[in-house]
Amino acid sequence: MMNILTPRPNPIVAALYTLRDLDVDVAVLHGPSGCGFRAARLLEEDGMKVVTTSMSEEDLIFGASDKLIEVLKEIDELFSPKTIGVVGSCVSMIIGENVKKAIIDSGLKDKAFFVEIHGCMGANTRGAIETLKAAMDFGLIDENEFQRQEKMLLLATEVESNSGMAKSKYTRPSRGADLRTVAEYIVNLLKDKKKIAVVLNAKKETAYLFADIPLAINLASKKYGGSIINVCNLSKIVGLSRIKRYAGDIINNYDSNGITIDYISGGLDEYPIAGKNAIEYLKDKDFDLLVAVGIPQALPILNKESIAVTNGPREVHPLEDAGYKYVTVEIASHSTVMGIRDIVLSELGEVIRDVAGIQ
Amino acid sequence: MKQIAIYGKGGIGKSSISSNLSVNLASEGYEVLLIGCDPKSDSTINLFGGRRIDTVLDLYKKGITDPNKLIFDGYKGVKGVEVGGPAAGVGCAGRGILVALKTLNKDYYLEKGFDIVIYDVPGDVVCGGFAGPAREGYADEVYIVTSGEYLSIYAANNIVKGLFNLNVKMGGIIGNMRNIVNEEQKIESYAKEIGSQLITAVERNSKIHESEIEGKTVLEKYPNDPLNLKFKEIGNKILENKKSKVPNPTTDEKIRSILGGLY
Ligand SMILES: Nc1ncnc2c1ncn2[C@@H]1O[C@H](COP(=O)(O)OP(=O)(O)O)[C@@H](O)[C@H]1O
Ligand code: SF4
Ligand SMILES: [Mg+2]
């Protein structure tokens, strides 16, 4: 297997995000104080508490089960959580900490469950799958839901290695195409009464940001004409309640702006198959431009003029190589969507509004 | 000044040899520092009348890291240190050794003018941490304790593999007898096979464990026993040894054929 040099999403962060999706109240990282720092901060803004056991050199040598028990009792008192997820780090797992026993000894086995991952090692999707499995064993989700999500995650790994940044040894980051150039291109097509297919293929909460781009294009079309085919992975019937709630929030916004969705391609955690569904739906339709936003790398390539909007500077080159005319990046996608219930302004959406003279 | 590390299969006699060697060299006027690196913390026990000294890692846990407080005065003025480590089955003893060595601060103890520093290291080289005392800046050379038994030599050869990989010099083999046929010859043939030498062989002698029961070295319990001369001989050979070099590990088949040929 190729040794990929580019730093990549990791299992511990995936586990934390999955715990958040499951509406777990507190995540305990059994690791050093800096473990998962960036993600932990973001997730706290989204309402889940994230703490560490602050493992030190000494704990690494002597073991830190007592410390974990202590921390579990402390957070139980401090936050009165309904559910607690304990996540392994590289440090605690290398020394073989017996986390399950610590949970039992803390007296909190009815509230807390252990996600057995080894920190930053391995594919991020493994972190998500292990979390879901632990949640299933703990009784938070049923087996069908587990199997559906597991399938999605494995497909997501495939997308990443076939068309994402796990495709090559080192992927240079890029800010992508100039936003104004892209916005003008889109608005001019609408002025020429052309037809644009807009595919929202977003992952979970990032939809709150990416949904702004279809919104801006639809608003521009209302002003200048042209027509839009709206395809969105905003199913309100698949997935965890939290994820369905995101979809509902966005559809409410679209409704209030008079936007009709032509085709629902799947749920917000189904981006690996929703992309395929979207292209399947569009392949016989007639249109002049495809705009794919969210996880465009999950869309099969159509022989059509296309624009991609992604969340990762390191997805830009692979998408350009795949044949997209323009690729733009929404840099702040992860940080701006925490703790919100409505669409937030995107960078490209803002420039489209500006070019179109709407506000 | 010489720094050496003693490796070998568990229970083969590393600690007995290290401690008896230490007190005998001290009785000749040498300044000796014995650093026990086994989490069991039993290398220096016979220098302190059977008392277990506080370990570096236990003190570290209490926030005590001043090297002066980690080193204890033992029998005949031998300075003793125990690295210590986690209880069996938890934590990471290998990491413990690395942290303890760093805490001990070799720059500090090397300035103290010791003639010899001995690291008594557990078992086979089990992870990077246990190889710590053999790394650059620590032991100048490694000595392996073995009997003529197959498993003991097999373990020795695994250690030799480690030394070869880490490019660490080996001073020689110290035989510790289990009274099997042609034992000394077997050990010597193996030593030659890996490009090393047999320093000397210590006979099996109940005075070693009789002394141990009282928490003593042989020198303390039986000061006039000739066994002490053996330990002095080992010590002096080590101090004078100029023939250390990186050994070449051999194969399991070769070990079996050497041992098999000597029955
Ligand atoms: N030459 C010997 N004759 C008799 N008993 C010995 C001899 N060498 C070691 N022993 C005994 O064998 C046991 C294990 O020795 P020890 O030095 O603790 O081994 P190690 O440090 O290699 O694990 C001890 O009880 C010790 O007294
Ligand atoms: S799992 Fe290990 S490497 Fe990853 S963030 Fe935590 S401490 Fe760092
Ligand atoms: Mg020992």
Side-chain angles (χ1 to χ4, degrees), chain A residues 10-27 29 39 43 46 48-50 83-87 113 115 117 123-136 140-141 145-146 148-150 153 203-205 239-243 246 269 271 334 338:
Chain A
N10 64 47
I12 199 162
V13 170
L16 290 176
Y17 271 79
T18 310
L19 289 174
R20 186 278 319 264
D21 294 347
L22 290 160
D23 286 318
V24 162
D25 302 300
V26 186
L29 292 169
L43 287 165
D46 218 11
M48 181 174 72
K49 300 275 183 299
V50 186
T83 40
I84 302 169
V86 183
V87 182
F113 64 100
V115 179
I117 53 153
N124 60 327
T125 41
R126 212 180 61 83
I129 291 171
E130 287 302 322
T131 309
L132 291 163
K133 196 147 158 257
M136 174 178 72
L140 288 185
I141 55 171
E145 177 60 14
F146 169 74
R148 187 190 65 84
Q149 292 216 36
E150 185 186 33
L153 287 158
K203 177 179 176 180
K204 299 182 180 174
E205 72 276 9
L240 299 174
S241 52
R242 187 180 188 105
I243 308 293
Y246 301 161
D269 63 4
Y271 57 93
H334 274 290
M338 292 310 205

Side-chain angles (χ1 to χ4, degrees), chain A residues 46-345:
Chain A
D46 218 11
M48 181 174 72
K49 300 275 183 299
V50 186
V51 302
T52 81
T53 50
S54 209
M55 279 183 75
S56 62
E57 187 80 90
E58 187 188 308
D59 297 324
L60 176 48
I61 300 167
F62 292 101
S65 292
D66 292 345
K67 212 167 183 177
L68 175 57
I69 293 170
E70 210 43 50
V71 167
L72 284 170
K73 287 180 180 163
E74 249 168 41
I75 58 165
D76 190 44
E77 214 155 273
L78 215 53
F79 308 125
S80 319
K82 279 203 302 290
T83 40
I84 302 169
V86 183
V87 182
S89 71
C90 59
V91 184
S92 55
M93 294 300 100
I94 282 174
I95 65 169
E97 285 276 282
N98 193 340
V99 174
K100 282 194 175 146
K101 181 165 184 299
I103 289 175
I104 292 169
D105 293 350
S106 72
L108 292 169
K109 70 171 170 34
D110 296 329
K111 286 187 181 183
F113 64 100
F114 172 41
V115 179
E116 188 170 353
I117 53 153
H118 291 216
C120 291
M121 208 186 294
N124 60 327
T125 41
R126 212 180 61 83
I129 291 171
E130 287 302 322
T131 309
L132 291 163
K133 196 147 158 257
M136 174 178 72
D137 294 342
F138 191 66
L140 288 185
I141 55 171
D142 63 25
E143 190 166 356
N144 287 338
E145 177 60 14
F146 169 74
Q147 278 167 357
R148 187 190 65 84
Q149 292 216 36
E150 185 186 33
K151 190 175 128 214
M152 282 316 135
L153 287 158
L154 293 173
L155 287 168
T157 313
E158 224 169 85
V159 166
E160 227 9 62
S161 54
N162 293 339
S163 24
M165 71 177 128
K167 210 175 95 181
S168 50
K169 207 167 178 61
Y170 180 78
T171 317
R172 276 172 301 124
S174 161
R175 293 301 294 258
D178 172 54
L179 295 181
R180 189 154 292 271
T181 309
V182 174
E184 279 168 358
Y185 185 81
I186 291 170
V187 173
N188 285 337
L189 278 185
L190 293 172
K191 284 180 178 167
D192 293 344
K193 312 298 174 213
K194 295 279 180 357
K195 192 168 197 173
I196 302 180
V198 186
V199 176
L200 174 71
N201 193 49
K203 177 179 176 180
K204 299 182 180 174
E205 72 276 9
T206 64
Y208 283 123
L209 177 88
F210 284 114
D212 181 56
I213 293 155
L215 175 60
I217 296 175
N218 276 276
L219 293 176
S221 165
K222 283 187 197 303
K223 177 163 177 182
Y224 290 110
S227 57
I228 311 286
I229 309 174
N230 286 304
V231 178
C232 307
N233 64 328
L234 291 174
S235 167
K236 289 198 278 186
I237 49 173
V238 281
L240 299 174
S241 52
R242 187 180 188 105
I243 308 293
K244 290 189 282 202
R245 194 183 80 206
Y246 301 161
D249 288 345
I250 293 166
I251 289 173
N252 287 344
N253 178 307
Y254 283 0
D255 282 348
S256 68
N257 278 294
I259 296 169
T260 33
I261 298 173
D262 298 282
Y263 178 65
I264 298 273
S265 53
L268 276 173
D269 63 4
E270 292 190 311
Y271 57 93
I273 56 162
K276 288 192 189 113
N277 293 343
I279 293 302
E280 195 56 35
Y281 171 78
L282 287 172
K283 75 172 191 281
D284 305 319
K285 304 268 181 305
D286 184 36
F287 55 93
D288 304 292
L289 174 72
L290 170 76
V291 180
V293 307
I295 314 272
Q297 59 271 34
L299 269 64
I301 300 303
L302 257 193
N303 205 2
K304 274 261 170 27
E305 192 124 280
S306 308
I307 293 173
V309 184
T310 172
N311 61 346
R314 290 179 196 272
E315 305 290 358
V316 172
H317 289 301
L319 286 164
E320 282 172 355
D321 293 348
Y324 281 91
K325 181 181 175 74
Y326 296 117
V327 181
T328 73
V329 187
E330 292 295 328
I331 282 294
S333 58
H334 274 290
S335 50
T336 49
V337 292
M338 292 310 205
I340 52 161
R341 291 294 305 266
D342 198 1
I343 295 177
V344 291
L345 269 188

Side-chain angles (χ1 to χ4, degrees), chain B residues 9-16 176 203-205 208-209 212:
Chain B
K9 183 177 177 292
I12 199 63
K14 297 178 295 293
S15 301
S16 308
N176 196 17
E203 66 188 81
R204 189 139 194 92
N205 189 322
I208 292 181
H209 44 246
E212 176 185 84

Side-chain angles (χ1 to χ4, degrees), chain B:
Chain B
M1 204 274 305
K2 203 165 205 178
Q3 294 192 79
I4 65 159
I6 311 267
Y7 283 84
K9 183 177 177 292
I12 199 63
K14 297 178 295 293
S15 301
S16 308
I17 288 176
S18 307
S19 54
N20 279 291
L21 170 75
S22 298
V23 292
N24 275 291
L25 280 177
S27 73
E28 289 192 323
Y30 292 108
E31 294 287 336
V32 184
L33 171 63
L34 174 58
I35 302 179
C37 299
D38 193 319
K40 288 200 305 291
S41 314
D42 59 359
S43 297
T44 60
I45 195 161
N46 296 334
L47 302 177
F48 297 93
R51 181 172 71 88
R52 286 174 189 275
I53 55 174
D54 290 341
T55 71
V56 175
L57 290 172
D58 277 339
L59 293 167
Y60 174 89
K61 227 168 145 177
K62 294 184 188 147
I64 300 166
T65 54
D66 175 358
N68 275 312
K69 301 197 169 131
L70 308 173
I71 299 177
F72 297 83
D73 287 331
Y75 184 65
K76 288 282 174 204
V78 173
K79 302 278 188 281
V81 171
E82 287 290 352
V83 157
V90 291
C92 177
R95 182 73 201 153
I97 293 180
L98 296 179
V99 171
L101 289 182
K102 208 168 131 212
T103 310
L104 263 177
N105 186 355
K106 70 174 166 22
D107 294 338
Y108 162 86
Y109 63 74
L110 293 186
E111 260 175 30
K112 294 257 165 178
F114 289 108
D115 296 298
I116 185 162
V117 178
I118 303 169
Y119 302 88
D120 174 15
V121 194
D124 313 10
V125 181
V126 288
C127 77
F130 290 88
R135 289 207 187 131
E136 209 173 323
Y138 290 93
D140 304 300
E141 59 204 29
V142 163
Y143 290 84
I144 297 177
V145 178
T146 184
S147 69
E149 291 160 306
Y150 166 71
L151 280 179
S152 176
I153 293 194
Y154 177 77
N157 198 50
N158 273 337
I159 295 160
V160 168
K161 281 181 192 162
L163 301 181
F164 177 79
N165 289 336
L166 296 167
N167 202 28
V168 173
K169 285 185 186 157
M170 175 167 168
I173 289 183
I174 300 168
N176 196 17
M177 300 310 197
R178 286 293 168 93
N179 293 343
I180 62 169
V181 180
N182 293 333
E183 191 161 25
E184 196 164 333
Q185 268 170 283
K186 285 174 177 163
I187 301 172
E188 190 150 27
S189 308
Y190 171 71
K192 285 220 178 80
E193 171 68 23
I194 60 167
S196 189
Q197 56 175 336
L198 174 63
I199 299 294
T200 191
V202 180
E203 66 188 81
R204 189 139 194 92
N205 189 322
S206 64
K207 294 207 171 76
I208 292 181
H209 44 246
E210 280 166 32
S211 311
E212 176 185 84
I213 289 167
E214 295 178 19
K216 289 175 178 155
T217 52
V218 178
L219 186 69
E220 190 173 359
K221 181 153 170 69
Y222 303 106
N224 301 318
D225 196 278
L227 196 53
N228 292 306
L229 298 176
K230 193 71 180 177
F231 289 118
K232 289 192 174 76
E233 178 198 331
I234 300 175
N236 285 304
K237 278 189 171 163
I238 288 174
L239 283 172
E240 285 154 23
N241 189 3
K242 298 225 160 45
K243 283 200 273 189
S244 63
K245 62 183 212 173
V246 179
N248 284 306
T250 186
T251 60
D252 195 22
E253 292 73 47
K254 188 75 200 178
I255 295 172
R256 287 181 192 275
S257 94
I258 290 172
L259 300 185
L262 287 166
Y263 265 103

